[in-house]
């Protein structure tokens, strides 16, 4: 049975009246988050909690209901030359703002200005006691009270049901271009990424995609004033010891859209995102290669996308990650939403206990 | 900061003291500039902490004796004044507070003897010369003396330069551009009389007639900065009496003396001769500030290129606000490359009688300064105060890094004379 | 109480356990001197173990404790608690490592903000958050209060640059939150800990995000005859899609204070100054600068200058960063407010503050982060004049209410502390506050970590 909520009051009602745990769902683009792994949780469909409630382009902020599709918000922003700098994935597939926050996973474009946590400024949610609570606000700078908006980033619907979200946004770069470099070996690619990430050319995205022969192709995107773009592209190329190709505008758009829609992953694979830093990549990479799992580095080697083959048990990935002290956020497949090591210890347990004292949410698989 | 000082009980100095406390907003911008805070890392040994302690001691909410160890540890370098965005004149609280505390405090016998020794020796050239000679004899037993006395002996040079009688008037070379009176300095005259001699030569060469009053003595800065107010006032009056008034400026070559004399107005607040003192104080100028303002007639040149690290004397940079003048002068010497010193704003630990009173902290700061100076790779260290020069020299040699430490004016003099 | 001091004596602090009257007096307030309180003891900690041991002693005895770095809080955040212990962290000041490849630094909580950048500079990196007190404020305090700075406009607040923290929870247990990556899997526990004002415990180690030192930094200074004109220029810059790192405005009184204090040499006779800073890649800054200059010319600026010279830029910022303390030159006492309004309502807010100032007869100097609507009205008064303190405090309260009415916040970067805790209920509904209390009680059931800050004691 699926419950449906069209308002914050409905969400409260659902939380207060349901026996057993609830799990919010809207776009269902990240089934590993919206499906409980170990309990028979009742889905709570919040996709009707939809629509932008306030947006003044001059403010560079907007507020929308949590079930608002990312695509809808992006379109409204684009009309005024603005965008969501954290570039939430799966927008075309129907991802919602609430889902983007709950996953805590940003897209390739987040390399420039930061991820979800850096752009969320306000939140309304219903916690496990059925209280509708607000945190943060609608202004870009706010140090009053506990930072509930950030806590909700990555909460996977396990700490509360998001009902409304406020974000700060930025003007969209006036023009963009992307260089695709000839593949390099793993270590050369890593060193090049580190060099590029330290500047001086400011990149909008810095991804590394695997090639069939096990090499690595660096993809770097720059954006800004159209007048400066050509010179900057030349300069960017000079930092990489590999020939490059500058993608045509439509190719470029398609590349980044396909990347964000996770179209590079084999159908049926478990797609997971592993926050890392460069030194962890060689070990992780070796493990993934041995299991024929495609690994795509993103955010300048601050995260790795993995497509874990459908035929392999997710648990094997989780165990290996735990051994490496890493954690993955699974977006599809079973065994999620978190695989591998857990962080937060006693603090996490106490916070969860405070927001969901009676276990109204399917939280056991979180911390 | 709000306060409730018993103004009448404190006396005429209460006004400037209250002003300093009132202006402090406790923002903490002074902390990184304070040598004792940097070394000790405790709020009581920071400028804003001491302001609270002095305020509370005056208000009676803490015992004077509780505040004093921390106030004593203050070098009086006034780096905090340079760092303070609120314009707190910390020195106008510290010096009167020390004077206020002196008659009210308990000092142990050793401390008393030591303090008397210092105050009755350092400012008197003849006595200092005798003491230095005795000290040379005492050096073998220095190990068994109390640390502070041992430190004082250790800082005295092994060989004292011969005393140099000074002329009364040195005429300007060429057309006269100014006429000044020069403070020869007391301790400086014993430890390094060349500084005064160099100042006279450089001034004269630049068209300045120099009057050196014969019956001048100690200016009283040392006494004033250590809370011996009566002695300081006596020295101040004697100095004022000894100096002519028909000059363009009263020139000092020791930063501590210069700042002490510039504070005569505050020192004699509430006294009948206060106005005269304030006027006299207004005419006191450091030799570098005076020369930079006047402009050098011709730029001297060294025989070979030399790299100079300039170390601010606290009483020049922070107390007198003379920061760029010495740099300008050194920069003007052809062949000199001037480099800045890391942590330049931190005191070297000399600070008048500080290395006698707080030997451990003084030594820590001295070492820190020597390390920073040697890291610059300079050939020569320049500074503007005899106390700093002595301290820096001592710690550089302890580090095994013997660099010549010269007064800015000596560098100019040697460049003019082509002996460098 | 003596039991606690005795127990603290047993953790091997030696002379770093301070109980004398001078120490307790010197540590009795931070940069918010309207509040003073003596602790029963000050622990000057040098290791994580000592912090943990001190917290455990306090927890066992049911004695409250407050952590303190350099004591520069403007909201009374590190004010000692009556009968409580103060844990000073300023000596835990080591930068443990700087990793150029991952662009991170791991530091102890007592590291001074600017020292992170000093340690990162040789690697071509820097630490972006720059509170005005960055020469002395510590990372631990920055994290506890989610400090901002002039460059938040583009780079965000402290919490945007803190990737992970190691914390001592209020019962002494250690927890590790976040990690070295720019992204965190699972709930952002680190994000929640940042800005929690010491109510969740004490940060003993932090992993910070470093950024590449920008290749070009260009600071413009524009002079206007009215605050409104300067405000309009800000709106135009935002509308044009430019992304400066900083957009700051100072009014006549603030300019006067800065000139009296650090003498930056701002153009004389200015009614309002606008500081705009562009930074980044050479080509980008050049392209943006051309657009910015055209915009400032058209905005009615009486004059403007732009510079990339380090010393000249430093002078421009020196006046701005010293502005708070500099008003000490204009009045014996001041209150600094930290309200935020939506940036499009800035003009409205300033007019209203001007009206309130006139009505109350209390002068207000304005310095603000115009780009993000963060106001810093400096309310000038003389506590020696009967009634002025009360009027100034009332005016401060009215300004905060105004910010909330306009849809803003009572604090952008200084935190609630003890100073603004009465105003938090004006901003959040009872259920919101109840949830915050639940969080606090969940993490610190005994209520010992910095009690009384942010959340006012509940009426019995």
């Amino acid at each position: 049975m699926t419950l449906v909520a069209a308002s914050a009051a409905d969400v409260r009602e659902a939380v207060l009246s349901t026996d057993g745990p609830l799990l919010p769902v809207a776009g269902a683009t990240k089934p590993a988050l919206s499906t409980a792994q170990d309990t028979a949780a009742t889905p709570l469909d919040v996709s009707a909690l939809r629509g932008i409630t306030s947006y003044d382009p001059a403010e560079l902020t907007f507020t929308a209901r949590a079930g608002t599709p990312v695509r809808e918000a992006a379109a409204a922003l684009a009309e005024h030359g603005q965008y969501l700098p954290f570039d939430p994935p799966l927008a075309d597939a129907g991802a919602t703002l609430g889902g983007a926050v709950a996953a805590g996973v940003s897209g390739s474009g987040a390399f420039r200005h930061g991820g979800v946590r850096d752009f969320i400024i306000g939140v309304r949610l219903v916690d496990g006691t059925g209280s509708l609570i607000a945190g943060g606000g609608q202004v870009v700078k706010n140090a009053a009270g506990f930072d509930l908006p950030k806590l909700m980033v990555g909460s996977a619907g396990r700490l509360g049901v998001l009902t409304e979200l406020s974000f700060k946004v930025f003007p969209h770069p006036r023009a963009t271009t992307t260089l695709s470099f000839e593949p390099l070996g793993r270590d050369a690619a890593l060193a090049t990424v580190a060099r590029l990430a330290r500047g001086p050319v400011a990149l909008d995205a810095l991804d590394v995609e695997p090639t069939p022969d096990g090499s690595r192709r660096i993809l770097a995107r720059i954006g800004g004033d159209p007048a400066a773009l050509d010179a900057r592209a030349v300069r960017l190329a000079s930092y990489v010891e590999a020939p490059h190709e500058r993608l045509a505008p439509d190719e470029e758009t398609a590349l980044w859209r396909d990347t964000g829609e996770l179209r590079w992953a084999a159908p049926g694979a478990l797609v997971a995102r592993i926050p890392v830093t460069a030194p962890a990549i060689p070990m992780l990479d070796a493990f993934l290669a041995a299991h024929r799992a495609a690994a795509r580095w993103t955010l300048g080697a601050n995260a790795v996308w993995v497509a874990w083959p459908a035929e392999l048990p997710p648990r094997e990935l989780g165990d290996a990650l735990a051994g490496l002290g890493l954690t993955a956020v699974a977006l599809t497949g079973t065994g999620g939403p978190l695989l591998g090591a857990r962080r937060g210890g006693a603090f996490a347990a106490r916070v969860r206990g405070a927001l969901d004292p009676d276990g109204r949410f399917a939280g056991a698989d979180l911390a | 900061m709000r306060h409730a000082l018993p103004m009448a009980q404190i006396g005429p100095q209460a006004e400037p003291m209250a002003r300093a406390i009132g202006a402090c907003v406790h923002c903490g911008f002074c902390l990184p500039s304070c040598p004792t805070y940097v070394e000790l890392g405790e709020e009581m040994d920071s400028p804003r902490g001491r302001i609270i302690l002095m305020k509370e001691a005056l208000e009676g909410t803490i015992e004077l004796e509780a505040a004093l160890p921390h106030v004593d540890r203050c070098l009086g370098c006034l780096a905090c004044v340079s760092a303070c965005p609120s314009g707190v004149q910390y020195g106008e609280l510290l010096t009167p507070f020390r004077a206020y505390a002196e008659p009210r405090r308990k000092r142990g016998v050793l401390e008393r003897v030591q303090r008397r020794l210092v105050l009755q020796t350092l400012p008197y050239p003849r006595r200092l010369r005798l003491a230095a000679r005795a000290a040379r004899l005492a050096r073998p037993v220095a190990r068994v003396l109390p640390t502070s006395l041992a430190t004082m002996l250790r800082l005295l040079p092994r060989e004292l330069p011969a005393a140099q009688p000074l002329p009364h008037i040195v005429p300007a070379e060429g057309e006269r551009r100014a006429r000044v009176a020069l403070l020869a300095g007391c301790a400086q005259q014993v430890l390094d009389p060349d500084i005064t001699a160099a100042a006279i030569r450089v001034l004269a060469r630049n068209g300045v007639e120099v009057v050196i009053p014969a019956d001048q003595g100690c200016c009283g800065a040392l006494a004033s900065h250590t809370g011996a107010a009566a002695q300081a006032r006596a020295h101040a009056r004697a100095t004022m009496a000894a100096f002519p008034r028909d000059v363009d400026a009263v020139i000092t070559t020791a930063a501590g003396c210069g700042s002490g004399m510039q504070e005569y107005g505050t020192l004699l607040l509430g006294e009948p001769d206060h106005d005269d003192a304030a006027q006299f104080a207004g005419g006191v100028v450091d030799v570098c500030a005076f020369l930079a303002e006047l402009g050098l007639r011709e730029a001297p040149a060294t025989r070979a290129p030399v790299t100079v690290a300039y170390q601010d004397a606290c009483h020049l940079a922070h107390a007198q606000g003379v920061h760029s003048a010495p740099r300008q002068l050194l920069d003007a010497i052809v062949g000199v490359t001037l480099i800045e010193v890391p942590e330049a704003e931190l005191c070297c630990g000399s600070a008048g009688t500080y290395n006698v009173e707080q030997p451990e902290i003084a030594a820590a700061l001295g070492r820190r300064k020597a390390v920073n100076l040697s890291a610059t790779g300079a050939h020569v260290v320049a500074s503007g105060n005899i106390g700093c020069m002595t301290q820096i020299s001592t710690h550089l040699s302890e580090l095994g890094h013997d660099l010549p430490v010269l007064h800015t004016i000596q560098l100019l003099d040697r460049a003019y004379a082509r002996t460098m | 109480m003596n039991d606690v001091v005795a127990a603290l004596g047993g953790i091997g602090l030696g002379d770093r356990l301070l109980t004398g009257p001078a120490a307790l007096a010197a540590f009795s307030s931070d940069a918010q001197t309207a509040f003073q309180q003596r602790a029963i003891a000050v622990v000057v900690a040098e290791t994580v173990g000592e912090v943990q041991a001190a917290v455990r002693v306090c927890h066992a005895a049911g004695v409250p404790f407050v952590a303190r770095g350099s004591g520069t809080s403007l909201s009374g955040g590190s004010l000692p608690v009556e009968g409580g212990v103060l844990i000073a962290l300023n000596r835990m000041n080591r930068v443990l490592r700087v990793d150029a490849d991952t662009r991170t630094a791991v530091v102890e909580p007592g590291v001074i903000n600017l020292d992170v950048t000093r340690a990162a500079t040789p690697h071509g990196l820097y630490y972006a958050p720059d509170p005005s007190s960055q020469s002395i404020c510590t990372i631990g305090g920055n994290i506890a209060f989610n400090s901002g700075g002039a460059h938040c406009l583009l780079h965000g607040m402290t919490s945007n640059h803190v990737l992970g923290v190691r914390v001592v929870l209020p019962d002494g247990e250690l927890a590790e939150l976040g990690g070295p990556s720019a992204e965190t899997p699972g709930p952002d526990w680190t994000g929640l800990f940042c800005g929690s004002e010491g109510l969740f415990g004490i940060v003993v180690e932090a992993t910070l995000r470093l950024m590449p030192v920008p290749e070009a930094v260009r600071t413009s200074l524009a002079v206007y005859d009215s605050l409104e004109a300067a405000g309009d220029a800000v709106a135009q810059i935002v509308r044009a899609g430019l992304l400066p790192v900083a957009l700051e405005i100072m009014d006549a009184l603030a300019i006067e204070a800065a000139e009296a204090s650090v003498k930056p040499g701002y153009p004389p006779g200015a009614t309002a100054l606008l500081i705009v800073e562009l930074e980044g890649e050479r080509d980008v800054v050049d392209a943006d600068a051309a657009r910015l200059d055209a915009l400032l010319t058209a905005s009615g600026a009486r004059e403007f200058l732009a510079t990339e010279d380090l010393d000249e830029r430093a002078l421009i910022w020196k006046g701005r960063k010293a502005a708070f303390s500099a008003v000490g030159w204009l009045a014996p006492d001041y209150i600094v407010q930290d309200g935020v309004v939506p940036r499009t309502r800035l003009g409205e807010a300033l007019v209203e503050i001007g009206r309130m100032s006139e009505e109350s007869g209390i002068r207000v100097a304005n310095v603000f982060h115009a780009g993000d609507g963060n106001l810093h009205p400096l309310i000038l008064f003389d506590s020696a004049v009967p009634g002025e303190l009360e009027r100034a405090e009332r005016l401060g309260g009215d300004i905060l209410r105004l910010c909330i009415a306009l849809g803003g916040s009572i604090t952008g970067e200084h935190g609630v502390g003890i100073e603004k805790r009465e105003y938090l209920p004006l901003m959040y509904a009872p259920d919101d506050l109840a949830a915050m209390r639940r969080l606090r009680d969940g993490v610190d059931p005994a209520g010992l970590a910095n009690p009384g800050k942010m959340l006012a004691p509940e009426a019995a």
Side-chain angles (χ1 to χ4, degrees):
Chain A
M1 189 193 69
T2 296
L3 296 172
V4 175
S7 67
D10 290 353
V11 175
R12 283 198 62 181
E13 178 61 28
V15 169
L16 290 173
S17 63
T18 310
D19 288 331
L22 277 178
L23 194 57
V25 55
T29 57
K30 300 178 272 286
L33 276 81
S34 52
T35 315
Q37 305 299 322
D38 55 352
T39 59
T42 309
L44 173 62
D45 184 347
V46 293
S47 52
L49 269 171
R50 175 171 182 168
I52 293 174
T53 53
S54 82
Y55 172 40
D56 177 353
E59 276 302 329
L60 291 170
T61 61
F62 78 96
T63 299
R65 293 194 184 88
T68 308
V70 168
R71 212 171 23 196
E72 193 174 309
L77 293 170
E79 276 182 42
H80 298 277
Q82 297 176 357
Y83 79 128
L84 287 168
F86 57 93
D87 187 21
L90 296 165
D92 281 0
T96 61
L97 292 171
V101 170
V105 170
S106 306
S108 302
F111 183 66
R112 180 80 182 90
H113 295 296
V116 194
R117 76 187 298 261
D118 299 308
F119 286 89
I120 187 169
I121 56 173
V123 66
R124 280 179 191 278
L125 69 129
V126 175
D127 73 1
T129 69
S131 290
L132 172 62
I133 56 181
Q138 298 190 10
V139 282
V140 294
K141 222 170 156 185
N142 181 9
F146 295 132
D147 200 338
L148 291 176
K150 280 207 178 58
L151 177 62
M152 289 300 122
V153 174
S155 61
R158 268 80 171 165
L159 293 175
V161 182
L162 302 172
T163 63
E164 193 179 273
L165 298 158
S166 299
F167 297 95
K168 68 172 180 171
V169 297
F170 277 163
H172 195 282
R174 294 164 71 216
T176 55
T177 194
T178 297
L179 301 191
S180 168
F181 293 89
E182 284 298 307
L184 295 164
R186 184 181 64 204
D187 293 344
L190 261 185
T192 305
V193 164
R195 187 162 64 239
L196 287 175
R198 280 167 66 180
V201 180
L203 303 176
D204 277 34
L206 180 55
D207 273 19
V208 179
E209 66 175 21
T211 60
D213 68 350
S215 305
R216 305 284 162 177
R217 179 190 303 281
I218 295 177
L219 298 163
R221 187 182 212 189
I222 51 176
D225 196 302
L229 219 50
D230 290 349
R232 293 177 60 208
V234 170
R235 192 165 177 212
L236 163 59
S238 74
Y239 286 92
V240 183
E241 286 163 6
H244 73 281
E245 174 198 2
R246 187 165 162 186
L247 302 185
D250 55 334
E251 267 184 298
E252 195 221 3
T253 313
L255 166 75
W256 294 111
R257 189 187 52 230
D258 291 352
T259 303
E261 296 302 320
L262 315 182
R263 286 184 188 136
W264 46 269
L270 182 157
V271 178
R273 166 96 152 191
I274 310 167
V276 292
T277 48
I281 284 188
M283 291 273 279
L284 175 63
D285 212 54
F287 166 78
L288 294 174
H291 291 77
R292 305 191 175 285
R296 192 182 174 94
W297 314 342
T298 184
L299 298 183
N302 262 277
V304 172
W305 281 113
V306 178
W308 184 252
E311 62 274 17
L312 296 179
R315 195 195 173 86
E316 203 177 332
L317 174 60
D319 290 348
L321 290 175
L324 293 169
L326 296 173
T327 312
V329 180
L331 301 189
T332 64
T334 55
L338 296 186
L339 300 168
R342 296 289 189 273
R343 307 283 287 182
F347 182 70
R350 292 180 203 179
V351 169
R352 206 159 63 79
L355 286 180
D356 185 17
D358 305 320
R360 292 281 176 189
F361 304 120
D365 46 3
L366 194 65
Chain B
M1 222 163 16
R2 281 165 236 172
H3 64 83
L5 296 191
M7 304 294 283
Q9 186 197 321
I10 299 169
Q13 311 271 1
E15 272 304 326
M17 295 170 90
R19 219 177 309 123
I21 294 169
C24 176
V25 300
H26 215 246
C27 66
F29 281 36
C30 53
L31 302 184
S33 75
C34 176
T36 54
Y37 183 78
V38 170
E39 272 299 318
L40 305 170
E42 290 176 0
E43 197 64 32
M44 313 77 81
D45 291 304
S46 78
R48 67 170 182 183
R50 292 189 179 103
I51 290 177
I52 288 199
L53 296 185
M54 290 189 268
K55 171 180 112 84
E56 295 215 11
L58 292 168
E59 288 171 347
T61 47
I62 58 171
E63 297 289 327
L64 183 64
E65 293 293 335
L68 280 173
H70 306 290
V71 177
D72 288 348
R73 252 176 240 159
C74 172
L75 295 124
C77 71
L78 304 185
C80 52
V81 174
S82 297
C84 178
S86 304
V88 174
Q89 292 303 315
Y90 175 82
E92 294 193 358
L93 171 62
L94 178 71
T95 303
F97 182 85
R98 284 182 165 162
Y100 168 91
E102 198 50 44
R104 293 171 172 83
R105 72 187 299 170
K106 305 178 196 80
R107 284 191 188 272
V109 61
L110 180 67
E111 223 185 325
R112 275 167 192 276
V113 168
Q114 173 187 314
R115 188 174 159 81
R116 186 168 49 76
L117 267 177
V118 170
L119 282 174
Q120 297 302 325
T121 310
L122 271 182
Y124 302 94
R126 209 160 304 141
R127 293 184 205 164
L128 180 58
R129 198 165 274 285
L130 280 171
R133 227 166 271 145
R136 211 165 47 236
L137 300 175
R139 219 177 264 277
V141 296
R143 272 177 300 120
V144 295
L145 288 173
T147 321
S148 48
L149 284 178
T151 309
M152 182 166 116
L153 297 185
R154 199 163 50 85
L155 286 172
L156 289 171
R158 283 175 189 278
E159 299 290 337
L160 280 185
Q164 292 182 7
L166 289 167
H168 297 315
I169 284 196
V170 177
E173 289 174 27
E175 193 191 333
R176 192 176 94 174
R177 299 162 76 199
R179 180 168 187 268
V180 301
L182 180 70
L183 182 82
C186 40
Q188 177 175 296
Q189 270 309 91
V190 174
L191 297 171
D192 196 352
D194 181 58
I195 296 174
T196 303
I200 294 170
R201 285 191 292 268
V202 173
L203 285 165
R205 189 175 186 118
N206 280 284
V208 182
E209 179 178 305
V210 186
V211 181
I212 305 108
D215 44 356
Q216 61 173 302
C218 171
C219 66
L222 201 66
S224 170
H225 291 152
T226 49
Q231 187 184 345
R233 279 194 289 270
H235 280 306
R237 290 192 169 111
T239 304
M240 281 156 52
F243 271 71
R245 302 302 173 92
D246 58 341
V247 289
D248 297 313
V250 171
I251 300 291
T252 56
T253 51
C257 306
S259 85
M261 290 167 74
Q262 288 174 0
E263 290 158 11
Y264 278 180
T266 314
L267 179 66
L268 293 171
L269 209 59
E271 303 282 323
D273 46 356
H274 164 260
D275 292 352
D276 184 41
Q279 200 195 357
F280 181 86
V284 176
V285 185
D286 178 77
V287 66
C288 288
F290 182 83
L291 272 171
E293 172 75 28
L294 184 72
L296 295 181
R297 246 182 197 163
E298 47 176 324
T302 56
R303 285 190 304 184
V306 57
T307 307
V308 179
Y310 179 73
Q311 171 58 43
D312 286 299
C314 297
H315 279 101
L316 195 54
H318 306 305
Q320 300 186 49
V322 176
H323 189 264
S324 59
R327 290 175 169 81
Q328 278 172 32
L329 294 177
L330 290 170
D331 229 8
I333 303 175
V334 178
V336 163
T337 305
L338 187 59
I339 45 176
E340 291 294 327
V341 185
E343 298 189 327
E345 75 287 354
L346 274 197
C347 179
C348 66
S350 166
T353 57
Y354 193 84
N355 48 29
V356 180
E357 286 156 4
Q358 303 282 346
E360 289 90 0
I361 303 172
L365 290 169
R367 272 193 300 276
R368 191 174 179 129
K369 185 57 70 188
V371 168
N372 277 323
L373 281 167
S374 28
T376 63
H379 306 126
V380 180
V381 175
S383 191
N385 193 48
I386 180 68
C388 314
M389 292 165 59
T390 311
Q391 167 89 345
I392 290 171
S393 223
T394 305
H395 284 279
L396 278 172
S397 28
E398 274 178 20
L399 205 67
H401 209 102
D402 280 297
L403 288 179
V405 181
L406 297 175
H407 192 287
T408 310
I409 204 76
Q410 288 178 296
L411 263 158
L412 277 169
D413 181 47
R414 288 175 195 200
Y416 275 125
R418 309 280 295 163
T419 56
M420 190 178 79
Chain C
M1 165 167 139
N2 289 332
D3 297 349
V4 178
V5 175
L8 288 172
I11 59 180
L13 294 159
D15 60 1
R16 290 181 289 110
L17 174 63
L18 311 174
T19 53
L24 302 183
F27 279 98
S28 65
S29 70
D30 48 31
Q32 170 49 279
T33 54
F35 301 89
Q36 317 251 346
Q37 181 65 56
R38 285 193 179 17
I40 56 169
V42 179
V43 170
V44 183
E46 285 185 348
T47 64
V48 174
E50 287 175 359
V51 175
Q52 212 177 355
V55 168
R56 284 207 170 114
V57 165
C58 290
H59 184 255
V63 165
F65 60 89
V66 178
R68 185 186 199 272
S70 290
T72 57
S73 172
L74 291 165
S75 58
S78 50
L79 177 77
V81 173
E82 190 178 356
V85 171
L86 192 67
I87 302 176
L89 302 165
N90 58 300
R91 282 215 215 160
M92 288 178 67
N93 59 357
R94 288 176 304 160
V95 174
L96 299 173
R97 55 182 181 273
V98 173
D99 185 334
D101 278 343
T102 60
R103 304 180 303 285
T104 56
V106 180
V107 304
E108 291 186 328
V111 167
I112 289 170
N113 174 297
L114 201 54
D115 286 345
V116 180
T117 287
R118 289 197 184 112
T121 306
H123 305 277
L125 300 168
Y126 80 113
Y127 178 64
D130 64 334
S132 292
S133 54
Q134 70 182 135
S135 61
I136 183 61
C137 62
T138 63
I139 293 296
N142 289 177
I143 293 174
F145 285 80
N146 195 13
S147 305
H151 294 75
C152 292
L153 180 59
L154 185 62
H155 298 316
M157 316 270 292
T158 295
S159 65
N160 302 109
H161 299 267
V162 178
L163 304 174
V165 285
R166 198 162 171 230
V167 299
V168 171
L169 295 175
D171 55 1
E173 191 168 337
L174 270 173
E176 312 257 354
L177 318 179
S181 171
E183 199 166 84
T184 312
D188 188 358
W189 311 115
T190 310
L192 176 65
F193 205 96
C194 287
S196 59
E197 303 202 358
L199 272 63
F200 290 153
I202 300 176
V203 171
V204 288
E205 191 181 295
T207 304
L208 308 175
R209 176 162 77 129
L210 302 174
M211 315 224 313
V213 174
E215 182 176 30
V217 185
R218 185 179 186 270
T219 310
S220 304
L221 185 68
V223 182
Y224 292 89
D225 291 326
S226 74
L227 265 185
E228 287 71 24
D232 288 347
V234 170
Q236 285 164 31
I237 292 167
V238 171
R239 210 172 304 130
L242 285 169
L243 264 184
V245 272
L247 270 173
E248 302 280 308
I249 293 181
M250 295 171 75
D251 75 359
L253 211 49
I255 299 166
E256 186 188 330
E259 284 298 337
S261 161
V262 295
K263 303 179 181 54
Y266 292 145
T271 308
L273 280 184
L274 170 64
I275 301 172
V276 190
E277 192 154 282
L278 296 171
E279 69 167 44
E281 213 177 317
R282 179 80 270 161
D283 295 331
V284 176
V285 168
D286 288 347
D288 287 351
R291 296 175 64 215
L292 176 66
D293 288 356
L295 219 142
L296 289 177
T297 310
S299 71
R302 178 139 64 82
E303 55 182 302
F304 79 89
L305 58 91
T307 177
E308 292 193 18
D309 180 86
L310 200 66
D311 294 335
E312 291 170 15
R313 290 185 41 243
L315 267 181
I316 292 177
W317 280 111
K318 195 173 182 191
R320 165 60 190 88
K321 294 206 170 192
F324 290 180
S325 315
V327 294
W329 289 77
L330 302 185
D333 301 284
Y334 75 94
I335 299 173
V336 53
Q337 287 294 8
D338 177 39
V340 184
V341 297
R343 34 193 149 199
T344 50
R345 309 199 68 178
L346 206 55
E348 207 177 323
L350 290 170
V351 169
E352 189 56 20
I353 291 171
R355 195 192 57 74
M356 294 192 301
S357 158
E358 208 160 293
E359 212 173 83
S360 61
I362 300 276
R363 290 189 303 166
V364 176
N366 282 295
V367 177
F368 49 98
H369 307 302
D372 37 35
N374 189 188
L375 299 163
H376 289 309
L378 297 152
I379 301 166
L380 311 181
F381 65 100
D382 183 352
S383 53
V385 177
E388 272 214 2
L389 169 65
E390 292 71 21
R391 274 189 293 147
E393 282 178 338
R394 203 157 47 234
L395 176 61
D398 289 345
I399 291 174
L400 293 184
R401 271 184 280 271
L402 170 72
C403 291
I404 298 169
L406 291 173
S409 170
I410 56 172
T411 173
E413 53 188 5
H414 297 171
V416 177
I418 195 155
E419 183 213 14
K420 290 184 283 285
R421 63 184 192 183
E422 314 300 335
Y423 296 94
L424 201 62
L426 301 179
M427 202 173 146
Y428 292 112
D431 279 357
D432 307 341
L433 291 170
M436 290 188 197
R437 282 187 199 283
R438 253 190 289 129
L439 279 171
R440 151 70 160 187
D441 294 345
V443 178
D444 180 14
L448 299 178
N450 210 11
K453 313 296 167 63
M454 188 197 296
L455 303 171
E458 277 181 288

